[in-house]
Amino acid sequence: MQILHKKMDLTSHSKQKSEKTAPNILIADDEDSMRLLLSFVFKNEGYQMHFAENGKKALEICEKFPIDVVIQDLKMPEMDGIELIKRLKQRHPKLPVIIITAFSNWENAVEAMRLGAFDYIKKPFDNDNIRAIVKKALQFSKHTAEFEEKFQIIGSSPAIRKVLEIAKTVAPTDTTVLIQGENGTGKDMIASALHANSLRADGPFIAVNCGAFASDNLLKSELFGHVRGAYTGAISDKKGYLELANKGTLFLDEIGEMNLTTQVLFLRVIEERSFLPLGGTTPKKTDVRFIAATNRNLEKEVHAGRFRQDLFYRLNVIPIYLPPLRERKEDIPLLVGHFLAKHCKKIGKPPMRISENALETLMNYHWPGNIRELDHVIQRAVLLNHGERIEKIHLSSSYQPKEKIQLPPSGIHLEKKLEEIEKQYIQAALETTHGHITKAGELLHLSLRQIRYKIQKYNLSIPLKNQKNENSSQ
Ligand SMILES: Nc1ncnc2c1ncn2[C@@H]1O[C@H](COP(=O)(O)OP(=O)(O)OP(=O)(O)O)[C@@H](O)[C@H]1O
Ligand SMILES: [Mg+2]
């Protein structure tokens, strides 16, 4: 079998010529016979084949060569297959890994899928089947690269793959899309991507936060516009968002906050594509594509009588659900890499790396603020760290194991201490939500009144992005 190794290694090193055109496939299996079998299976596929008889070697090959797909066994000596996939995903999160597994090792295969394996194949396998899976993985890599470039939406979990697939299909249509997901899961991002990849991309993209208006009338006036004299203070005609978004996309963010009377008016707009400005008598036509988003479960809102069922059906033509980050943790390494590159570039630093330990800490956290929170954590770590690598100590205290409280002999002033903590949390929530007071309140389970009171009490500064919107409307 030594000869076989040699031949395989030779293959590895002679790849330079065809590196650019032929996809590079790595087989990691400790059994010589399996490596030999797979080399025959892929013989006529035009791939550049690489072979490793253990996990360590597999990692080395991935560092040296531009591997496109890994096919790996789960049972290997030294570093087992689970450990290998963990490390591969940390170092090369986008690399599709196909698992070969014996039926008896089924539980590990499930674990491997959870860790981000692309697919699995059971022994004994069908040659055509494994060839087809490799083709699919190569195609997926190509699509992901295209998508990342176009949409800048990062992730390789099955959930995000599904989202991207739907987004790609519906983007160029005029179909109404409803995006649901917790705060910070990427709803705005998907909405903009849908517009940017639609036939309306040259037209306006107007986002309205239905939850950011103090009164329903204000929202109506912003949406529908008004004529002069429609109400006190309406000194001239004003175009509403429905008119401004003509030939483009109107993104109704936080649609779950829209109250029932506005919902009735809106239903008519969707059905008739025309609307009446406040105080007006002549309906205006509008050519708009609607995208709506909410962090509420709209179906539940319908059952509770807070959202009209007919409007829900009109909006929910194509539903897109963005799962919370804690349910797609396999996307974390990829996102971390993306945010590291983004924040380093912003401040003119060469790209930093992250230690395994620090990454593990991030993987173990439950991310209530989802991707936005991860983005901020990485940003902070990049700013605070002058070295080349993010270590666990650069992550903020929420991600560190809790230390035992040491009470100084003189005691502490508990009220003051609590106020200090309160202040820090409110400031962090305001930063996380870009100064959106309502959302910051939701993150802290405080009512709007409570959070406003505390902001005033501690004289806290509100980050700029949503300040204007909220202050003028809440
Ligand atoms: N898949 C992703 N890849 C890269 N960045 C992402 C991804 N999803 C979200 N982000 C980033 O996370 C942040 C939050 O995303 P976004 O504002 O779209 O979330 P949201 O669901 O609209 O949040 P909210 O409910 O608070 O309005 C943004 O900075 C966005 O660029
Ligand atoms: Mg949003």
Side-chain angles (χ1 to χ4, degrees):
M1 266 359 261
Q2 203 47 41
I3 297 168
L4 182 63
H5 279 191
K6 269 210 170 131
K7 226 167 101 194
M8 286 166 179
D9 283 342
L10 263 180
T11 321
S12 282
H13 295 291
S14 63
K15 57 101 224 183
Q16 265 89 353
K17 269 192 290 166
S18 51
E19 177 182 302
K20 286 205 167 61
T21 42
N24 285 264
I25 314 289
L26 168 65
I27 313 284
D29 200 309
D30 60 317
E31 279 175 48
D32 295 339
S33 56
M34 188 56 88
R35 295 200 303 278
L36 187 60
L37 170 62
L38 286 167
S39 75
F40 283 123
V41 169
F42 293 110
K43 199 167 159 215
N44 296 320
E45 297 295 301
Y47 300 147
Q48 192 64 52
M49 300 302 291
H50 305 258
F51 299 90
E53 63 275 20
N54 59 46
K56 194 165 160 271
K57 183 112 187 271
L59 287 171
E60 279 167 20
I61 292 178
C62 285
E63 289 299 315
K64 267 199 219 147
F65 301 98
I67 301 297
D68 296 292
V69 173
V70 174
I71 303 174
Q72 68 155 87
D73 191 11
L74 275 183
K75 265 199 186 152
M76 279 187 282
E78 291 171 57
M79 185 190 299
D80 79 345
I82 290 290
E83 186 59 27
L84 174 61
I85 185 172
K86 253 191 209 163
R87 297 219 189 168
L88 278 173
K89 284 279 146 186
Q90 277 178 10
R91 299 282 302 140
H92 314 275
K94 291 176 210 168
L95 181 61
V97 178
I98 299 164
I99 299 292
I100 301 185
T101 175
F103 182 70
S104 56
N105 208 7
W106 182 238
E107 271 182 14
N108 276 343
V110 174
E111 170 69 3
M113 290 304 284
R114 205 185 57 75
L115 290 169
F118 179 79
D119 210 339
Y120 63 88
I121 187 153
K122 279 189 210 157
K123 281 194 249 186
F125 51 78
D126 176 83
N127 293 354
D128 284 339
N129 192 10
I130 196 161
R131 280 193 282 255
I133 293 178
V134 168
K135 279 211 176 90
K136 209 168 77 182
L138 286 168
Q139 234 170 18
F140 167 70
S141 296
K142 197 166 150 254
H143 277 162
T144 321
E146 282 170 10
F147 258 95
E148 268 189 40
E149 211 176 301
K150 258 174 122 181
F151 283 80
Q152 281 287 301
I153 297 168
I154 312 297
S156 63
S157 59
I160 209 79
R161 270 194 264 163
K162 200 170 135 204
V163 167
L164 290 179
E165 205 49 50
I166 302 173
K168 191 176 68 169
T169 318
V170 297
T173 70
D174 269 348
T175 319
T176 305
V177 179
L178 176 64
I179 310 166
Q180 300 194 67
E182 288 180 11
N183 281 336
T185 45
K187 299 186 293 297
D188 271 68
M189 190 179 204
I190 295 283
S192 317
L194 288 173
H195 173 74
N197 290 279
S198 73
L199 305 176
R200 298 169 172 268
D202 291 334
F205 174 77
I206 302 228
V208 194
N209 185 341
C210 304
F213 294 89
S215 72
D216 204 41
N217 275 343
L218 203 55
L219 171 61
K220 272 191 244 168
S221 161
E222 292 293 333
L223 279 175
F224 298 94
H226 59 69
V227 298
R228 194 176 145 200
Y231 52 83
T232 331
I235 48 169
S236 58
D237 286 6
K238 189 183 170 212
K239 285 182 184 173
Y241 292 138
L242 277 165
E243 194 168 349
L244 294 171
N246 194 34
K247 305 274 180 223
T249 305
L250 183 60
F251 175 42
L252 297 156
D253 203 359
E254 315 287 355
I255 187 97
E257 313 302 312
M258 192 185 263
N259 94 358
L260 285 162
T261 54
T262 315
Q263 287 176 29
V264 177
L265 294 178
F266 214 82
L267 179 68
R268 214 169 302 147
V269 178
I270 294 189
E271 280 172 352
E272 293 166 15
R273 305 278 154 166
S274 73
F275 63 96
L276 206 53
L278 298 191
T281 46
T282 333
K284 287 187 171 180
K285 283 245 156 259
T286 185
D287 172 16
V288 170
R289 193 240 186 119
F290 295 105
I291 299 176
T294 176
N295 53 14
R296 295 180 188 243
N297 179 333
L298 268 200
E299 242 168 331
K300 273 196 187 147
E301 295 297 298
V302 169
H303 283 134
R306 286 189 293 266
F307 204 84
R308 289 186 64 100
Q309 188 168 41
D310 42 12
L311 181 57
F312 173 67
Y313 287 142
R314 290 280 170 197
L315 295 172
N316 198 33
V317 183
I318 300 289
I320 291 186
Y321 173 64
L322 288 168
L325 189 53
R326 63 182 170 279
E327 286 174 18
R328 47 175 161 128
K329 286 194 168 173
E330 63 268 42
D331 285 342
I332 291 178
L334 211 53
L335 284 162
V336 168
H338 170 71
F339 292 134
L340 274 175
K342 175 175 121 179
H343 294 300
C344 288
K345 195 171 163 202
K346 241 196 226 164
I347 58 168
K349 240 186 192 180
M352 292 172 79
R353 295 171 72 156
I354 184 159
S355 73
E356 276 187 30
N357 215 338
L359 189 62
E360 203 180 309
T361 312
L362 298 178
M363 295 287 279
N364 288 332
Y365 180 63
H366 59 289
W367 301 108
N370 293 298
I371 299 174
R372 181 178 296 120
E373 190 182 0
L374 178 60
D375 187 358
H376 290 173
V377 167
I378 299 297
Q379 182 176 21
R380 215 171 302 149
V382 166
L383 289 175
L384 292 178
N385 178 1
H386 301 294
E388 287 171 0
R389 209 164 74 145
I390 307 277
E391 303 291 343
K392 206 168 159 181
I393 50 158
H394 302 119
L395 303 171
S396 77
S397 55
S398 346
Y399 317 98
Q400 310 289 353
K402 298 275 168 285
E403 279 173 24
K404 195 167 179 286
I405 288 178
Q406 297 288 343
L407 201 59
S410 56
I412 60 150
H413 194 303
L414 187 58
E415 291 287 326
K416 269 200 190 138
K417 184 84 190 160
L418 292 177
E419 282 190 349
E420 209 176 282
I421 293 172
E422 194 169 58
K423 225 160 97 177
Q424 282 172 0
Y425 272 96
I426 296 172
Q427 194 71 62
L430 285 169
E431 273 165 30
T432 306
T433 60
H434 299 302
H436 198 301
I437 303 174
T438 317
K439 283 185 193 161
E442 279 170 12
L443 277 182
L444 300 171
H445 294 259
L446 291 176
S447 71
L448 185 57
R449 266 190 59 188
Q450 285 172 315
I451 189 164
R452 284 186 139 180
Y453 168 76
K454 289 177 197 290
I455 290 170
Q456 239 178 2
K457 177 175 159 193
Y458 299 129
N459 195 17
L460 295 177
S461 57
I462 301 169
L464 268 181
K465 197 176 161 200
N466 282 316
Q467 199 178 17
K468 196 172 135 246
N469 203 357
E470 285 230 325
N471 285 352
S472 60
S473 54
Q474 276 180 12

Short mmCIF file of all heavy atoms in Angstrom, two decimals, residues 255-302:
data_model
loop_
_atom_site.label_atom_id
_atom_site.label_comp_id
_atom_site.label_asym_id
_atom_site.label_seq_id
_atom_site.Cartn_x
_atom_site.Cartn_y
_atom_site.Cartn_z
N ILE A 255 -44.05 45.32 10.13
CA ILE A 255 -45.46 45.42 9.70
C ILE A 255 -46.42 44.99 10.82
O ILE A 255 -47.55 45.46 10.88
CB ILE A 255 -45.69 44.57 8.41
CG1 ILE A 255 -47.10 44.79 7.85
CG2 ILE A 255 -45.54 43.08 8.66
CD1 ILE A 255 -47.19 45.78 6.76
N GLY A 256 -45.92 44.12 11.72
CA GLY A 256 -46.76 43.66 12.84
C GLY A 256 -47.20 44.80 13.75
O GLY A 256 -48.13 44.65 14.55
N GLU A 257 -46.52 45.94 13.66
CA GLU A 257 -46.87 47.08 14.52
C GLU A 257 -47.96 47.94 13.91
O GLU A 257 -48.46 48.86 14.55
CB GLU A 257 -45.64 47.98 14.75
CG GLU A 257 -44.37 47.26 15.13
CD GLU A 257 -44.53 46.44 16.38
OE1 GLU A 257 -45.05 46.96 17.36
OE2 GLU A 257 -44.12 45.25 16.35
N MET A 258 -48.30 47.68 12.65
CA MET A 258 -49.31 48.52 11.98
C MET A 258 -50.67 48.27 12.62
O MET A 258 -51.05 47.12 12.85
CB MET A 258 -49.35 48.13 10.50
CG MET A 258 -50.13 49.08 9.63
SD MET A 258 -50.25 48.44 7.94
CE MET A 258 -48.94 49.31 7.15
N ASN A 259 -51.41 49.34 12.89
CA ASN A 259 -52.66 49.07 13.59
C ASN A 259 -53.79 48.69 12.64
O ASN A 259 -53.67 48.83 11.42
CB ASN A 259 -52.99 50.18 14.60
CG ASN A 259 -53.88 51.23 14.03
OD1 ASN A 259 -54.26 51.18 12.86
ND2 ASN A 259 -54.21 52.19 14.86
N LEU A 260 -54.89 48.19 13.19
CA LEU A 260 -55.89 47.54 12.35
C LEU A 260 -56.51 48.47 11.30
O LEU A 260 -56.77 48.05 10.18
CB LEU A 260 -56.98 46.92 13.23
CG LEU A 260 -56.51 45.62 13.94
CD1 LEU A 260 -57.41 45.28 15.12
CD2 LEU A 260 -56.46 44.46 12.96
N THR A 261 -56.71 49.76 11.64
CA THR A 261 -57.35 50.63 10.64
C THR A 261 -56.40 50.90 9.47
O THR A 261 -56.82 50.92 8.32
CB THR A 261 -57.79 51.98 11.26
OG1 THR A 261 -56.68 52.57 11.89
CG2 THR A 261 -58.92 51.82 12.23
N THR A 262 -55.13 51.08 9.76
CA THR A 262 -54.17 51.29 8.66
C THR A 262 -54.07 50.01 7.83
O THR A 262 -53.91 50.05 6.61
CB THR A 262 -52.79 51.69 9.21
OG1 THR A 262 -52.99 52.67 10.21
CG2 THR A 262 -51.90 52.24 8.13
N GLN A 263 -54.18 48.87 8.51
CA GLN A 263 -54.13 47.59 7.79
C GLN A 263 -55.23 47.51 6.73
O GLN A 263 -55.00 47.04 5.61
CB GLN A 263 -54.27 46.42 8.76
CG GLN A 263 -53.06 46.18 9.63
CD GLN A 263 -53.30 45.07 10.64
OE1 GLN A 263 -54.07 44.14 10.40
NE2 GLN A 263 -52.66 45.18 11.78
N VAL A 264 -56.43 48.01 7.08
CA VAL A 264 -57.54 47.97 6.13
C VAL A 264 -57.18 48.80 4.90
O VAL A 264 -57.35 48.36 3.76
CB VAL A 264 -58.84 48.54 6.76
CG1 VAL A 264 -59.98 48.56 5.73
CG2 VAL A 264 -59.23 47.75 7.98
N LEU A 265 -56.67 50.00 5.14
CA LEU A 265 -56.31 50.88 4.03
C LEU A 265 -55.22 50.23 3.18
O LEU A 265 -55.24 50.30 1.96
CB LEU A 265 -55.79 52.22 4.56
CG LEU A 265 -56.80 53.10 5.28
CD1 LEU A 265 -56.12 54.36 5.79
CD2 LEU A 265 -57.95 53.46 4.35
N PHE A 266 -54.32 49.61 3.86
CA PHE A 266 -53.19 49.04 3.15
C PHE A 266 -53.58 47.85 2.28
O PHE A 266 -53.07 47.66 1.18
CB PHE A 266 -52.08 48.64 4.12
CG PHE A 266 -50.77 48.85 3.47
CD1 PHE A 266 -50.21 50.11 3.43
CD2 PHE A 266 -50.16 47.82 2.78
CE1 PHE A 266 -49.04 50.34 2.75
CE2 PHE A 266 -48.99 48.04 2.09
CZ PHE A 266 -48.43 49.30 2.07
N LEU A 267 -54.52 47.07 2.79
CA LEU A 267 -55.01 45.92 2.04
C LEU A 267 -55.52 46.40 0.68
O LEU A 267 -55.24 45.81 -0.37
CB LEU A 267 -56.14 45.26 2.83
CG LEU A 267 -56.77 44.04 2.16
CD1 LEU A 267 -55.78 42.90 2.11
CD2 LEU A 267 -58.02 43.61 2.91
N ARG A 268 -56.25 47.51 0.72
CA ARG A 268 -56.80 48.06 -0.52
C ARG A 268 -55.67 48.47 -1.48
O ARG A 268 -55.74 48.24 -2.67
CB ARG A 268 -57.69 49.25 -0.19
CG ARG A 268 -58.87 49.33 -1.14
CD ARG A 268 -59.90 50.34 -0.68
NE ARG A 268 -60.44 50.08 0.65
CZ ARG A 268 -60.83 51.04 1.51
NH1 ARG A 268 -60.68 52.33 1.18
NH2 ARG A 268 -61.35 50.74 2.68
N VAL A 269 -54.62 49.04 -0.92
CA VAL A 269 -53.50 49.47 -1.77
C VAL A 269 -52.91 48.25 -2.49
O VAL A 269 -52.64 48.28 -3.68
CB VAL A 269 -52.39 50.15 -0.94
CG1 VAL A 269 -51.23 50.54 -1.82
CG2 VAL A 269 -52.94 51.35 -0.20
N ILE A 270 -52.72 47.19 -1.72
CA ILE A 270 -52.11 46.00 -2.32
C ILE A 270 -53.01 45.42 -3.40
O ILE A 270 -52.55 45.00 -4.46
CB ILE A 270 -51.81 44.95 -1.23
CG1 ILE A 270 -50.74 45.50 -0.29
CG2 ILE A 270 -51.36 43.64 -1.84
CD1 ILE A 270 -50.19 44.50 0.69
N GLU A 271 -54.31 45.44 -3.15
CA GLU A 271 -55.23 44.86 -4.11
C GLU A 271 -55.39 45.72 -5.35
O GLU A 271 -55.44 45.23 -6.46
CB GLU A 271 -56.60 44.64 -3.47
CG GLU A 271 -56.60 43.39 -2.62
CD GLU A 271 -57.85 43.22 -1.79
OE1 GLU A 271 -58.67 44.17 -1.75
OE2 GLU A 271 -57.99 42.16 -1.18
N GLU A 272 -55.47 47.03 -5.14
CA GLU A 272 -55.81 47.90 -6.26
C GLU A 272 -54.61 48.68 -6.82
O GLU A 272 -54.71 49.31 -7.85
CB GLU A 272 -56.90 48.90 -5.84
CG GLU A 272 -58.21 48.18 -5.55
CD GLU A 272 -59.20 49.06 -4.80
OE1 GLU A 272 -58.99 50.28 -4.75
OE2 GLU A 272 -60.17 48.50 -4.27
N ARG A 273 -53.51 48.63 -6.13
CA ARG A 273 -52.33 49.39 -6.52
C ARG A 273 -52.65 50.87 -6.72
O ARG A 273 -52.13 51.54 -7.60
CB ARG A 273 -51.69 48.84 -7.80
CG ARG A 273 -51.35 47.39 -7.73
CD ARG A 273 -50.03 47.16 -7.03
NE ARG A 273 -50.03 45.82 -6.43
CZ ARG A 273 -48.97 45.19 -5.97
NH1 ARG A 273 -47.81 45.76 -6.00
NH2 ARG A 273 -49.07 44.01 -5.42
N SER A 274 -53.60 51.37 -5.94
CA SER A 274 -53.87 52.80 -5.95
C SER A 274 -54.24 53.22 -4.53
O SER A 274 -54.56 52.38 -3.68
CB SER A 274 -55.01 53.14 -6.92
OG SER A 274 -56.23 52.71 -6.39
N PHE A 275 -54.13 54.50 -4.25
CA PHE A 275 -54.38 54.97 -2.88
C PHE A 275 -54.86 56.41 -2.91
O PHE A 275 -54.72 57.13 -3.91
CB PHE A 275 -53.09 54.88 -2.07
CG PHE A 275 -52.01 55.77 -2.61
CD1 PHE A 275 -51.80 57.05 -2.07
CD2 PHE A 275 -51.23 55.37 -3.68
CE1 PHE A 275 -50.83 57.88 -2.60
CE2 PHE A 275 -50.26 56.21 -4.21
CZ PHE A 275 -50.05 57.46 -3.67
N LEU A 276 -55.41 56.81 -1.79
CA LEU A 276 -55.93 58.17 -1.66
C LEU A 276 -55.08 58.92 -0.63
O LEU A 276 -55.02 58.52 0.53
CB LEU A 276 -57.38 58.07 -1.15
CG LEU A 276 -58.35 59.19 -1.49
CD1 LEU A 276 -58.40 59.49 -2.97
CD2 LEU A 276 -59.73 58.83 -0.95
N PRO A 277 -54.45 60.03 -1.02
CA PRO A 277 -53.70 60.78 0.00
C PRO A 277 -54.67 61.34 1.05
O PRO A 277 -55.84 61.57 0.74
CB PRO A 277 -53.08 61.92 -0.81
CG PRO A 277 -53.17 61.53 -2.24
CD PRO A 277 -54.34 60.61 -2.35
N LEU A 278 -54.20 61.55 2.27
CA LEU A 278 -55.07 62.07 3.33
C LEU A 278 -55.64 63.41 2.88
O LEU A 278 -54.91 64.29 2.42
CB LEU A 278 -54.31 62.27 4.63
CG LEU A 278 -53.69 61.04 5.30
CD1 LEU A 278 -53.22 61.39 6.71
CD2 LEU A 278 -54.65 59.87 5.33
N GLY A 279 -56.95 63.55 2.99
CA GLY A 279 -57.62 64.79 2.59
C GLY A 279 -57.84 64.90 1.09
O GLY A 279 -58.45 65.85 0.61
N GLY A 280 -57.36 63.92 0.32
CA GLY A 280 -57.49 63.99 -1.14
C GLY A 280 -58.79 63.37 -1.62
O GLY A 280 -59.49 62.67 -0.86
N THR A 281 -59.12 63.62 -2.89
CA THR A 281 -60.35 63.05 -3.43
C THR A 281 -60.07 62.18 -4.66
O THR A 281 -60.89 61.35 -5.02
CB THR A 281 -61.34 64.18 -3.85
OG1 THR A 281 -60.61 65.16 -4.58
CG2 THR A 281 -62.01 64.82 -2.64
N THR A 282 -58.90 62.38 -5.27
CA THR A 282 -58.59 61.58 -6.45
C THR A 282 -57.56 60.51 -6.10
O THR A 282 -56.47 60.84 -5.62
CB THR A 282 -57.96 62.48 -7.56
OG1 THR A 282 -58.42 63.81 -7.38
CG2 THR A 282 -58.23 61.97 -8.94
N PRO A 283 -57.91 59.25 -6.37
CA PRO A 283 -56.93 58.19 -6.09
C PRO A 283 -55.72 58.30 -7.01
O PRO A 283 -55.84 58.74 -8.14
CB PRO A 283 -57.71 56.89 -6.38
CG PRO A 283 -59.12 57.28 -6.63
CD PRO A 283 -59.17 58.74 -6.94
N LYS A 284 -54.58 57.92 -6.46
CA LYS A 284 -53.35 57.93 -7.27
C LYS A 284 -52.91 56.49 -7.51
O LYS A 284 -53.01 55.65 -6.61
CB LYS A 284 -52.24 58.66 -6.50
CG LYS A 284 -52.43 60.15 -6.44
CD LYS A 284 -51.20 60.79 -5.82
CE LYS A 284 -51.29 62.30 -5.95
NZ LYS A 284 -50.12 62.97 -5.37
N LYS A 285 -52.39 56.24 -8.70
CA LYS A 285 -51.89 54.89 -9.03
C LYS A 285 -50.43 54.78 -8.57
O LYS A 285 -49.70 55.77 -8.54
CB LYS A 285 -51.92 54.67 -10.55
CG LYS A 285 -53.29 54.38 -11.10
CD LYS A 285 -53.32 52.97 -11.68
CE LYS A 285 -54.72 52.37 -11.73
NZ LYS A 285 -55.04 51.44 -10.68
N THR A 286 -50.04 53.60 -8.20
CA THR A 286 -48.62 53.42 -7.90
C THR A 286 -48.17 52.05 -8.37
O THR A 286 -48.92 51.08 -8.30
CB THR A 286 -48.32 53.61 -6.40
OG1 THR A 286 -46.92 53.53 -6.21
CG2 THR A 286 -49.00 52.60 -5.50
N ASP A 287 -46.94 52.01 -8.88
CA ASP A 287 -46.39 50.76 -9.37
C ASP A 287 -45.26 50.35 -8.41
O ASP A 287 -44.12 50.76 -8.58
CB ASP A 287 -45.85 51.00 -10.79
CG ASP A 287 -45.08 49.82 -11.32
OD1 ASP A 287 -45.20 48.72 -10.74
OD2 ASP A 287 -44.33 49.99 -12.30
N VAL A 288 -45.64 49.59 -7.40
CA VAL A 288 -44.70 49.30 -6.32
C VAL A 288 -44.63 47.80 -6.05
O VAL A 288 -45.64 47.10 -6.14
CB VAL A 288 -45.16 50.02 -5.03
CG1 VAL A 288 -44.37 49.55 -3.84
CG2 VAL A 288 -45.01 51.52 -5.17
N ARG A 289 -43.45 47.32 -5.72
CA ARG A 289 -43.33 45.95 -5.23
C ARG A 289 -43.23 46.02 -3.70
O ARG A 289 -42.47 46.82 -3.16
CB ARG A 289 -42.04 45.33 -5.77
CG ARG A 289 -41.98 43.84 -5.57
CD ARG A 289 -40.82 43.40 -4.74
NE ARG A 289 -40.79 41.95 -4.73
CZ ARG A 289 -39.79 41.22 -5.18
NH1 ARG A 289 -38.71 41.80 -5.63
NH2 ARG A 289 -39.86 39.91 -5.17
N PHE A 290 -44.01 45.17 -3.03
CA PHE A 290 -44.02 45.22 -1.57
C PHE A 290 -43.18 44.10 -0.96
O PHE A 290 -43.28 42.95 -1.36
CB PHE A 290 -45.46 45.09 -1.03
CG PHE A 290 -46.33 46.25 -1.42
CD1 PHE A 290 -47.29 46.12 -2.41
CD2 PHE A 290 -46.17 47.48 -0.81
CE1 PHE A 290 -48.08 47.19 -2.79
CE2 PHE A 290 -46.96 48.56 -1.17
CZ PHE A 290 -47.91 48.42 -2.17
N ILE A 291 -42.39 44.50 0.02
CA ILE A 291 -41.70 43.51 0.86
C ILE A 291 -42.02 43.92 2.30
O ILE A 291 -41.94 45.11 2.64
CB ILE A 291 -40.18 43.54 0.64
CG1 ILE A 291 -39.85 43.21 -0.83
CG2 ILE A 291 -39.47 42.56 1.57
CD1 ILE A 291 -38.37 43.29 -1.16
N ALA A 292 -42.45 42.97 3.10
CA ALA A 292 -42.77 43.29 4.49
C ALA A 292 -41.89 42.46 5.41
O ALA A 292 -41.42 41.39 5.02
CB ALA A 292 -44.24 43.01 4.77
N ALA A 293 -41.65 42.97 6.61
CA ALA A 293 -40.86 42.19 7.57
C ALA A 293 -41.42 42.40 8.98
O ALA A 293 -42.05 43.43 9.26
CB ALA A 293 -39.40 42.63 7.54
N THR A 294 -41.20 41.42 9.81
CA THR A 294 -41.63 41.54 11.20
C THR A 294 -40.84 40.60 12.09
O THR A 294 -40.38 39.56 11.63
CB THR A 294 -43.14 41.24 11.34
OG1 THR A 294 -43.49 41.29 12.72
CG2 THR A 294 -43.50 39.86 10.81
N ASN A 295 -40.68 41.00 13.36
CA ASN A 295 -40.05 40.06 14.29
C ASN A 295 -41.12 39.34 15.11
O ASN A 295 -40.81 38.58 16.00
CB ASN A 295 -39.03 40.76 15.19
CG ASN A 295 -39.62 41.94 15.90
OD1 ASN A 295 -40.86 42.10 15.93
ND2 ASN A 295 -38.79 42.79 16.46
N ARG A 296 -42.38 39.64 14.80
CA ARG A 296 -43.47 38.91 15.47
C ARG A 296 -43.85 37.71 14.62
O ARG A 296 -43.58 37.67 13.43
CB ARG A 296 -44.70 39.80 15.59
CG ARG A 296 -44.46 40.97 16.50
CD ARG A 296 -45.71 41.80 16.57
NE ARG A 296 -45.43 43.02 17.28
CZ ARG A 296 -45.99 43.34 18.44
NH1 ARG A 296 -46.87 42.55 19.00
NH2 ARG A 296 -45.68 44.47 19.03
N ASN A 297 -44.56 36.76 15.25
CA ASN A 297 -45.12 35.65 14.50
C ASN A 297 -46.49 36.11 14.01
O ASN A 297 -47.45 36.18 14.77
CB ASN A 297 -45.22 34.44 15.43
CG ASN A 297 -45.82 33.26 14.72
OD1 ASN A 297 -46.60 33.41 13.77
ND2 ASN A 297 -45.47 32.08 15.18
N LEU A 298 -46.57 36.48 12.73
CA LEU A 298 -47.80 37.11 12.24
C LEU A 298 -49.00 36.18 12.30
O LEU A 298 -50.13 36.64 12.51
CB LEU A 298 -47.60 37.60 10.80
CG LEU A 298 -47.13 39.04 10.61
CD1 LEU A 298 -47.46 39.52 9.21
CD2 LEU A 298 -47.71 40.02 11.62
N GLU A 299 -48.76 34.89 12.14
CA GLU A 299 -49.89 33.96 12.22
C GLU A 299 -50.51 34.02 13.61
O GLU A 299 -51.73 34.03 13.76
CB GLU A 299 -49.40 32.55 11.92
CG GLU A 299 -50.07 32.02 10.69
CD GLU A 299 -49.44 30.75 10.18
OE1 GLU A 299 -48.22 30.55 10.39
OE2 GLU A 299 -50.19 29.97 9.56
N LYS A 300 -49.65 34.10 14.62
CA LYS A 300 -50.15 34.21 16.00
C LYS A 300 -50.88 35.52 16.18
O LYS A 300 -51.90 35.59 16.87
CB LYS A 300 -48.97 34.15 16.99
CG LYS A 300 -48.60 32.75 17.37
CD LYS A 300 -47.74 32.78 18.62
CE LYS A 300 -47.22 31.40 18.93
NZ LYS A 300 -45.91 31.42 19.53
N GLU A 301 -50.35 36.58 15.58
CA GLU A 301 -50.99 37.89 15.67
C GLU A 301 -52.38 37.84 15.04
O GLU A 301 -53.31 38.46 15.52
CB GLU A 301 -50.13 38.96 14.98
CG GLU A 301 -48.79 39.20 15.63
CD GLU A 301 -48.91 39.74 17.05
OE1 GLU A 301 -49.46 40.83 17.21
OE2 GLU A 301 -48.46 39.04 17.99
N VAL A 302 -52.49 37.07 13.95
CA VAL A 302 -53.80 36.91 13.30
C VAL A 302 -54.76 36.21 14.27
O VAL A 302 -55.87 36.66 14.50
CB VAL A 302 -53.67 36.11 11.98
CG1 VAL A 302 -55.04 35.70 11.45
CG2 VAL A 302 -52.92 36.93 10.94
#
